[in-house]
Amino acid sequence: MTTDLNKFDTLLVANRGEIACRVMRTARAMGLRTVAVYSDADANARHVREADEAVRLGPAAARDSYLKVEAVIEAAKRTGAGAIHPGYGFLSENGPFVDALEKAGITFVGPPASAIAAMGDKSAAKARMHDAGVPLVPGYHGDDQDDALLKAEADKIGYPVLLKASAGGGGKGMRVVESTAGFQAALDGCRRESQAAFGDQRMLIEKYLTQPRHVEVQVFCDSHGNGVYLFERDCSVQRRHQKVLEEAPAPGMSAELRREMGEAAVRAAREIGYVGAGTVEFLLDVDGSFFFMEMNTRLQVEHPVTEMITGQDLVEWQLRVAMGERLPLAQDELTITGHSFEARLYAEDPEQDFLPATGTLTRFALDLEGAGLNADKVRLDSGVESGDAVSMHYDPMLAKLIVHGGDRDQALATLNRALAALDVQGVVTNRAFLQRLATHPAFKGCELDTRFIEKHEESLFAPREITTEAHAAAALIGLKQLSRECESDSPWDRHDGFRLNAPHTIRLALCATGHDLSRAQAPDAEDVVIVEGRRETDADPWQLVIGDETLTARIQHLEGDAVAVTLNGHRRRLQARLADNGVVVMADAAGETRLFWRRIDAIDHGQHEAESTLTAPMHGTVVALLVEPGQKVEKGMPLMVMEAMKMEHTMAAPADGHVESFHFAAGDTVGQGDVLLEFAAEE
């Protein structure tokens, strides 16, 4: 294979985060100069720090920065970039952007605009795939978007059905509709998400298979008519239609089925004149039949698992094909070696319905040596480092942890050890949830389908036994925090249980789910632990009463978030940090525990307010107000919709009653904890 890097020597990466860093890593290895672009929110981001040059695009909002075609092209011209790699998301599947680059004489590292257009319209793509002999799921893909017609088509197909944005991908603008009664509300929500993400409200409808696997095939084509498939990936474990764990090869695939799916994927690519890296996604049913879903005309988030099992650098393939070279290998030269997993690390709270999280990463590190892991078998693709801020403006994915093993069992064992060795502090993440997924008996037994998380929700989110050490650590940190809130020596200024001639006493309620603290003293609050802490002076150890147990307790802060908790003379080292109104405790044996506290020994004026207000669970933007002030509503009825990190979240009525007033309007930005509305419960 010849190498001609003179065709372009500078590459601009029109993206951010881990994919920008990953693309630049290969570009530098090939001798190319790299250019980053950034918004105001990313001025100090890792991809900016690692590039040879960086150019500001605009304000934080993607529409004013990363999605501004003219600004990206101007940045390429200013820096002499001969090519632009789009990563994934943003402009990666934007045909007009590709056309504009061609007019500007800049190489696009990706397929031609015609191929993007052919697959970008999901309805038209289905028709072309039918002509190419690629099997399709029954559904409606027509141009008529009348509400009544769409509902009639869904009724005809039979429920459950899947509503999907025709111009979309990545789980945006997508809903499963279980019955005709819920169709209109789901359609309205999908259209809002689709309009916000893609500027297009068109929908398609497909029969929702109840136990399918999501299996996709990596294809690659060059401009000389060559096309290959680099085998398949299983991406069945998803939440909100977005992937969480991926693996390659797909478990249980026969050589014949692998060949059939691979050849169908290459036919799909050739049908639209494809060039570059692409992924053809299929639903694989329990009987071995498979159906075309869509084609992503870009590099996929999960491409590293394919790189691990094939030994190929797909970004290098992309750059060489963009330079006009032929594919480096033919189909019969590609082989599978071992097994690979990828776990996506998100800034989100699985315990709170996967709400996105923001904050500053006080620590972000992977200790391979301490975990006894081979660096050749573990890879961390990250767009962040310790000290970086995680904002509300973009997708919440922080990094991807990729592992390789001789077989699936070995790779899975390595994944679990690597997840345990991944130290992420300062921002709530799904790391502990990923561990629960990877160790789940059904996942280990290859019992996979796209409803895996939903099907195993009870066991995945089952309450875990919380150790006395965890309760004590959370209580001690809470007590220390509350003690600091009152600096005055005067008892008249204190709200900490002060009694004349009595020990200083504070009572806390601790619970693993913060919303249950509202019933902390209810008779049935079995999952709430009451801790009483008392001491004579600030220099004395705390006497903790946890249930029927009384403990003499001290806490010592060590380096970072490490603490030493001493209970009745027994000293234990663990990690513990403040998180909103709670504590995250990490112990080697018990894993990660999140405990929230609530003060219950003083008059709590905030509780009355909590009953009459709703607060924002995360930073975001108000999308819609769904009721009028004064309108009577029932408990659970949607009141308003927020959007954060490209996903919608609905705020519901906490009881029967009515909204007295909204504090924000559609389009307003709100911060976590902001009071959204005043609510009057029905008496």
Side-chain angles (χ1 to χ4, degrees), residues 247-447:
E247 59 183 298
M253 288 285 288
S254 66
E256 181 181 2
L257 181 56
R258 175 172 290 125
R259 178 184 55 77
E260 288 179 1
M261 293 183 74
E263 290 178 352
V266 173
R267 285 201 306 274
R270 283 179 167 154
E271 168 68 20
I272 60 172
Y274 200 79
V275 175
T279 300
V280 182
E281 302 193 348
F282 295 102
L283 288 176
L284 177 62
D285 212 350
V286 291
D287 62 0
S289 57
F290 61 91
F291 306 98
F292 173 85
M293 282 199 301
E294 61 185 2
M295 182 177 184
N296 288 299
T297 53
R298 53 173 168 76
L299 193 68
Q300 288 279 86
V301 178
E302 58 273 21
H303 75 275
V305 292
T306 296
E307 294 183 321
M308 284 288 207
I309 65 166
T310 61
Q312 304 301 313
D313 184 330
L314 298 189
V315 173
E316 181 177 350
W317 278 41
Q318 283 188 297
L319 295 174
R320 295 197 181 283
V321 166
M323 293 173 183
E325 298 183 16
R326 297 178 181 273
L327 292 179
L329 295 175
Q331 190 65 61
D332 59 3
E333 296 176 298
L334 290 164
T335 58
I336 296 175
T337 302
H339 202 94
S340 180
F341 286 97
E342 175 181 283
R344 300 190 187 190
L345 184 73
Y346 287 98
E348 65 184 12
D349 189 349
E351 305 294 339
Q352 302 295 324
D353 196 26
F354 298 99
L355 281 175
T358 58
T360 299
L361 288 164
T362 56
R363 181 167 171 78
F364 187 84
L366 178 61
D367 183 10
L368 294 179
E369 183 177 356
L373 293 169
N374 188 333
D376 293 336
K377 300 296 183 181
V378 182
R379 166 176 160 184
L380 184 64
D381 282 13
S382 168
V384 295
E385 294 176 322
S386 297
D388 284 352
V390 179
S391 77
M392 58 169 278
H393 300 289
Y394 312 113
D395 188 274
M397 190 173 72
L398 301 176
K400 304 178 307 194
L401 184 63
I402 310 105
V403 302
H404 184 266
D407 56 28
R408 190 175 190 269
D409 289 343
Q410 289 181 14
L412 192 54
T414 300
L415 176 64
N416 286 317
R417 292 171 62 192
L419 282 169
L422 184 60
D423 186 5
V424 186
Q425 300 174 27
V427 176
V428 176
T429 73
N430 66 334
R431 190 198 62 78
F433 180 70
L434 291 171
Q435 285 186 292
R436 296 199 294 275
L437 280 173
T439 55
H440 195 282
F443 185 78
K444 294 170 71 174
C446 302
E447 300 172 20

Side-chain angles (χ1 to χ4, degrees), residues 240 354-356 618 640-644 647-651:
R240 291 178 173 171
F354 298 99
L355 281 175
M618 70 289 181
M640 64 188 301
V641 180
M642 287 182 60
E643 186 271 339
M647 300 299 292
E648 285 192 357
H649 306 273
T650 301
M651 311 299 294

Side-chain angles (χ1 to χ4, degrees), residues 154-166:
D155 293 342
K156 185 190 304 181
I157 294 166
Y159 295 91
V161 299
L162 183 65
L163 272 173
K164 295 174 65 176
S166 183

Side-chain angles (χ1 to χ4, degrees), residues 481-491 493-496:
Q481 185 74 6
L482 290 169
S483 296
R484 286 175 177 170
E485 291 176 2
C486 182
E487 298 291 337
S488 173
D489 292 329
S490 170
D493 293 334
R494 295 172 65 165
H495 307 278
D496 57 1

Side-chain angles (χ1 to χ4, degrees), residues 46-116:
R46 180 177 179 178
H47 75 282
V48 175
R49 298 194 298 266
E50 292 188 353
D52 294 312
E53 291 186 63
V55 179
R56 176 186 178 272
L57 295 177
R63 64 180 177 273
D64 298 324
S65 51
Y66 294 105
L67 292 175
K68 288 181 67 175
V69 171
E70 299 82 2
V72 173
I73 292 177
E74 177 59 28
K77 291 179 178 178
R78 284 175 58 189
T79 57
I84 291 180
H85 193 301
Y88 42 70
F90 294 139
L91 296 171
S92 62
E93 295 178 281
N94 186 306
F97 175 57
V98 181
D99 286 334
L101 290 183
E102 184 176 355
K103 292 178 182 177
I106 299 170
T107 298
F108 178 69
V109 183
S114 58
I116 294 175

